[in-house]
Amino acid sequence: MAVRGVVVAAAAALGALLCLARGAAGAAGFIKSPLSQKKLTEDSVELHCEAIGSPIPEIQWWFEGAEPNETAVQLWDGAWQDRVAINATYKQHSTSTISVTNLTLNDSGTYECRASNDPNRNHLSKSPKVKWIRSQANVIVLERPIISVSQDVTEGSDLVISCNISGAPTEIKGHYWMKGNTKIQSDDTSADFTSYMLEKVDHESSGEYSCFFETTPLSKGTVLVKVRPYVVAYKKSEQGNEKDAGVLVCKSSSYPPVTQWSWFKMVDGPQPIVNGTEDRFFIKSDGNKTELRILDLDIEKDPGEYRCNGTNEMGEDSAIVVLRVRSRLAALWPFLGIVAEVLVLVTIIFIYEKRRKPDEVPDDEDGGSAPLKSNAANHKDQNVRQRNTN
């Protein structure tokens, strides 16, 4: 809760400062300054600064080399043979980022962010009333150490890949290995050598391995583990309805990526499919994935086996996809089958009811005979009474 309170208070203070700067005329001021850094040759560096004021101030970048007699020079987007890039925005306040790529030893020095909102700040004959405010960062570029790595691996098992450093910029405080963005091994020794064992070289273990020596700045080497493509069908069997579009997909999970994909229809041997064949077949490939899209599926011509083939610098591999095309009425067959079963069942019940014989007289017929017996008894009683009277 305390940390949240500090963050809220800081945000409120910054918001109030921005509102104040926009609401009334005021000199420029920094709210973010560039940070000093250490880099190796061939690396890149990025510096950032932000300023507020009313009106919104302009930001410039200047450089002064490490040599005693060097003077400051302004840096522009595209300077130093297009190695310098500057990105600035002027909205609620000013922000500017400078990046320098492929660093050399001569790029060491002081990088200065300057900001000013004086109307005469760039006038050639008038002195600005408010001087440029400045914020500096020192960038030190060190010679990249020599890292000897084991040769690129292509096959085998229980193989060891290794890196050896010479001319480390600072003391080594440890090492670690990464495959892609995943750390796979680390230690805190100060040796100038580090290694990693591969149990088996296949499509799963292939990739780019990086060894890091924990110096300031970090020193890095790269070992490549290469294998031929490992092509698999996303689905071994695909189904589609006639007149619809069908999509067949193949992928490869190995390194290096596939550089060329090909598709074939297996009819009396492989028949090549090129993009736009019959204006119905279209191929879309991107690195380790390829798609074959077939428009307006034909129930007579399109069913069958299709082969996808992937090639890289180490070799090639392929996979088979089976395409089945159904009639558009195929979805109705289950429903029609159910309707037919119901009709047959109703017919059987109707015939059975018509042919069965009654086993006994219904109760309502017995109920009708009782009054007849009662009437006969009454007539008999009347006859008896008549005799007695006589």
Side-chain angles (χ1 to χ4, degrees):
M1 295 295 293
V3 174
R4 180 181 296 179
V6 171
V7 172
V8 171
L14 178 59
L17 186 60
L18 291 172
C19 290
L20 180 62
R22 292 195 299 269
F30 288 113
I31 56 176
K32 268 191 181 179
S33 297
L35 302 177
S36 297
Q37 301 180 41
K38 284 185 178 181
K39 293 291 182 178
L40 298 176
T41 53
E42 303 176 16
D43 281 349
S44 300
V45 67
E46 186 174 278
L47 303 171
H48 182 78
C49 76
E50 299 182 17
I52 59 172
S54 182
I56 295 175
E58 175 191 359
I59 292 179
Q60 295 180 357
W61 287 95
W62 291 70
F63 170 77
E64 185 175 347
E67 296 298 326
N69 296 328
E70 287 196 49
T71 58
V73 295
Q74 186 175 357
L75 297 177
W76 305 90
D77 189 43
W80 294 354
Q81 297 180 342
D82 211 29
R83 293 191 300 118
V84 175
I86 298 176
N87 182 27
T89 60
Y90 298 94
K91 294 182 179 180
Q92 294 182 345
H93 64 286
S94 306
T95 66
S96 183
T97 300
I98 184 173
S99 58
V100 184
T101 60
N102 196 21
L103 289 170
T104 68
L105 295 177
N106 293 331
D107 297 330
S108 294
T110 301
Y111 291 76
E112 190 172 78
C113 176
R114 298 183 181 182
S116 176
N117 57 2
D118 191 294
N120 298 320
R121 58 186 177 275
N122 294 318
H123 202 285
L124 297 178
S125 61
K126 295 182 179 180
S127 298
K129 297 178 182 179
V130 179
K131 295 182 179 180
W132 290 83
I133 59 173
R134 310 180 181 193
S135 183
Q136 297 178 341
N138 293 320
V139 175
I140 301 174
V141 182
L142 304 173
E143 188 72 51
R144 177 173 291 276
I146 299 174
I147 299 180
S148 302
V149 300
S150 53
Q151 294 182 349
D152 293 345
V153 178
T154 58
E155 61 181 355
S157 59
D158 293 337
L159 292 176
V160 176
I161 55 178
S162 62
C163 295
N164 186 77
I165 189 172
S166 59
T170 59
E171 178 186 359
I172 300 172
K173 297 183 179 180
H175 321 81
Y176 61 91
W177 283 84
M178 296 190 71
K179 181 186 178 186
N181 296 322
T182 304
K183 182 181 286 189
I184 55 178
Q185 178 179 291
S186 63
D187 64 67
D188 56 2
T189 64
S190 59
D192 56 6
F193 176 85
T194 181
S195 63
Y196 179 76
M197 176 177 284
L198 297 171
E199 295 182 358
K200 183 182 180 181
V201 177
D202 57 13
H203 67 280
E204 293 182 345
S205 62
S206 65
E208 183 176 303
Y209 291 77
S210 300
C211 59
F212 289 86
F213 293 86
E214 296 191 59
T215 57
T216 305
L218 280 172
S219 301
K220 173 186 174 183
T222 301
V223 181
L224 302 180
V225 178
K226 303 178 180 180
V227 299
R228 68 186 181 91
Y230 181 76
V231 178
V232 294
Y234 182 70
K235 288 184 180 179
K236 294 183 178 181
S237 178
E238 288 281 1
Q239 290 188 354
N241 296 325
E242 62 176 335
K243 302 302 181 181
D244 287 346
V247 180
L248 311 181
V249 181
C250 287
K251 299 188 295 182
S252 174
S253 57
S254 56
Y255 181 89
V258 173
T259 55
Q260 181 179 352
W261 285 102
S262 304
W263 282 91
F264 302 88
K265 176 72 183 294
M266 308 302 290
V267 181
D268 297 328
Q271 304 295 323
I273 300 174
V274 298
N275 211 9
T277 300
E278 299 181 15
D279 289 331
R280 296 194 305 119
F281 294 80
F282 297 94
I283 299 172
K284 180 182 178 182
S285 300
D286 182 14
N288 279 341
K289 181 180 178 181
T290 182
E291 292 182 358
L292 172 62
R293 182 177 294 271
I294 308 173
L295 305 181
D296 194 21
L297 286 173
D298 190 302
I299 198 170
E300 298 293 336
K301 297 190 301 182
D302 294 334
E305 293 186 347
Y306 292 78
R307 189 179 82 186
C308 54
N309 191 87
T311 305
N312 65 11
E313 62 185 83
M314 304 305 299
E316 64 179 9
D317 191 25
S318 62
I320 295 293
V321 186
V322 178
L323 175 63
R324 295 181 173 86
V325 180
R326 300 176 300 182
S327 168
R328 294 184 68 88
L329 299 178
L332 295 177
W333 295 127
F335 173 75
L336 295 178
I338 294 174
V339 172
E341 290 179 358
V342 171
L343 291 177
V344 171
L345 182 60
V346 170
T347 302
I348 293 174
I349 294 175
F350 178 77
I351 294 174
Y352 173 78
E353 289 293 336
K354 292 292 290 182
R355 291 187 176 182
R356 77 183 186 91
K357 296 180 179 180
D359 293 334
E360 55 184 7
V361 178
D363 292 340
D364 55 351
E365 295 180 0
D366 294 340
S369 62
L372 295 176
K373 294 180 180 179
S374 176
N375 291 336
N378 291 336
H379 288 303
K380 185 177 181 180
D381 290 342
Q382 290 178 0
N383 293 332
V384 171
R385 291 193 190 102
Q386 289 177 357
R387 291 192 194 101
N388 292 334
T389 304
N390 293 331

